[in-house]
């Protein structure tokens, strides 16, 4: 697979700015890592608490409330990581476009987003109808486990991508 010349030409001005300024490169990379730390750190903490609440039913109501209020922060962090990720991609489109590791990381991000959507759907159902709590909490436990795996897999892919580039 080769990088389309149109993409290379489109992103060339940004690539020049990024490669000519250590400050710009530092700020973009920091923004990407900070956004992932914000979103992933909070999500991992919430996933752990969800797994604990699965085993302790007295914690469930509080956990559902915590989940619903924290999603805005997680989504904000993810949005920041997408913006900075696009900036990183655009800084070296010729390398990233042909990288299997890059596309694997993107697939993992899509899986994380789909899992997050599923998780919020299950949370909303549990909040509206606690009568089916056992089935809902089983789904939530699975989604929290998948989330944990995906966050770490994305971090691993990011490190692999830097080392492979």
């Amino acid at each position: 697979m080769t990088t389309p010349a149109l993409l290379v030409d489109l992103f060339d001005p940004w690539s020049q700015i990024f490669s000519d300024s250590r400050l710009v490169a530092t700020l973009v990379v920091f923004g990407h890592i900070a956004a992932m730390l914000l979103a992933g750190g909070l999500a991992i903490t919430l996933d752990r608490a969800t797994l604990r609440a699965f085993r302790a039913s007295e914690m469930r109501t509080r956990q559902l409330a915590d989940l619903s209020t924290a999603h805005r922060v997680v989504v904000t962090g993810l949005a920041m990581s997408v913006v900075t990720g696009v900036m990183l991609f655009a800084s070296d489109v010729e390398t990233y476009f042909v990288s299997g590791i890059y596309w694997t990381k993107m697939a993992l991000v899509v899986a994380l987003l789909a899992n997050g959507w599923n998780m919020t759907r299950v949370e909303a159902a549990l909040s509206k109808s606690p009568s089916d709590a056992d089935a809902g909490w089983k789904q939530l436990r699975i989604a929290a486990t998948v989330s944990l795996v995906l966050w770490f897999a994305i971090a691993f892919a990011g490190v692999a991508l830097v080392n492979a580039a």
Side-chain angles (χ1 to χ4, degrees):
M1 175 167 54
T2 60
T3 308
L6 176 66
L7 279 181
V8 174
D9 292 342
L10 178 68
F11 293 129
D12 186 59
W14 170 250
S15 179
Q16 291 301 315
I17 292 168
F18 189 90
S19 64
D20 290 345
S21 173
R22 289 184 181 210
L23 176 62
V24 169
T26 299
L27 290 173
V28 172
V29 171
F30 170 75
H32 194 65
I33 292 170
M36 294 297 290
L37 183 61
L38 172 70
L42 181 55
I44 288 168
T45 300
L46 291 167
D47 291 338
R48 183 178 178 274
T50 298
L51 295 174
R52 290 180 69 204
F54 174 76
R55 288 184 239 112
S57 59
E58 68 277 0
M59 296 172 61
R60 291 178 177 181
T61 302
R62 171 66 188 250
Q63 180 60 16
L64 286 175
D66 288 349
L67 286 169
S68 79
T69 58
H71 279 140
R72 178 172 291 171
V73 176
V74 173
V75 169
T76 299
L78 281 171
M80 288 171 41
S81 73
V82 167
V83 169
T84 55
V86 168
M87 294 170 83
L88 289 168
F89 175 83
S91 73
D92 193 1
V93 68
E94 291 177 283
T95 297
Y96 296 126
F97 189 84
V98 298
S99 171
I101 296 171
Y102 173 80
W103 293 110
T104 300
K105 183 180 177 187
M106 293 307 99
L108 291 168
V109 170
V110 169
L112 180 70
L113 292 171
N115 187 64
W117 175 81
N118 178 55
M119 188 177 253
T120 57
R121 190 182 55 78
V122 172
E123 291 164 23
L126 281 169
S127 295
K128 289 179 186 171
S129 176
S131 61
D132 193 22
D134 287 340
W137 275 93
K138 285 178 185 173
Q139 288 179 311
L140 208 52
R141 179 185 69 177
I142 291 167
T145 302
V146 169
S147 174
L148 283 166
V149 170
L150 287 170
W151 278 107
F152 283 101
I154 290 167
F156 178 80
V159 172
L161 185 59
V162 169
N163 287 321

